[in-house]
Amino acid sequence: MSYLRSASFGALFVVTFTIAATCQLAFSGLGLLMVATAPGMFNMNGQAATNPAQALGVLAFLLVIGLFMNAGISAIGSGVWILVRRALPGAKPTANAADVF
C-alpha cells in the first residue's frame, strides 16, 4: 500500500501496463491454439478466416490494438489514482514535478 501512496505516475503506469500486457500475451497464447484448431472463429471484415495464416493476422491485429488500449487505460488509471490518493488521509505528495513523469 505504501507504493501506491508514494509512486510516481511513470512507476504506476509501468506496473499496470506490465501486468495487463502479461495477461494479454497469455491470452494470445491461447489464441494461437485457436488459430491452429479453429481458424474460422476469427473474422476479418465480416468474413471468417479460411486458413490459419489469416487467423494469425487477425490475432496479431487484436494483440496490437489491445496493447494500445492497455497503454491508454494504464495512463488514465495512473493519473486518476494520483488524483485520488491526494484525498486519502496520510498521503504524501511527490517530492517534485520530475518524479511525476
Side-chain angles (χ1 to χ4, degrees), residues 11-12 16 23 30-31 37 46 51-52 55 62-63 82 84 88 98:
L12 291 171
T16 57
C23 181
L30 292 175
T37 59
N51 59 48
L62 290 173
L63 178 62
I82 285 180
V84 167
L88 296 175

Side-chain angles (χ1 to χ4, degrees), residues 11-34:
L12 291 171
F13 174 83
V14 167
V15 168
T16 57
F17 183 85
T18 301
I19 291 169
T22 302
C23 181
Q24 288 172 325
L25 290 173
F27 280 115
S28 292
L30 292 175
L32 288 174
L33 179 66
M34 297 306 296

Side-chain angles (χ1 to χ4, degrees), residues 2 5 7-8 10 14 19 22 26 28 33 35-36 40 45 53 55-56 68 73 80-81 90-91 93 98 101:
S2 64
R5 291 182 181 242
S8 67
V14 167
I19 291 169
T22 302
S28 292
L33 179 66
V35 162
N45 298 325
L56 187 60
F68 277 117
I73 291 168
V80 168
W81 179 251
F101 300 103

Side-chain angles (χ1 to χ4, degrees), residues 42-65:
F42 294 87
N43 289 321
M44 303 177 305
N45 298 325
Q47 299 288 347
T50 57
N51 59 48
Q54 289 177 345
L56 187 60
V58 174
L59 183 64
F61 176 76
L62 290 173
L63 178 62
V64 169
I65 295 300

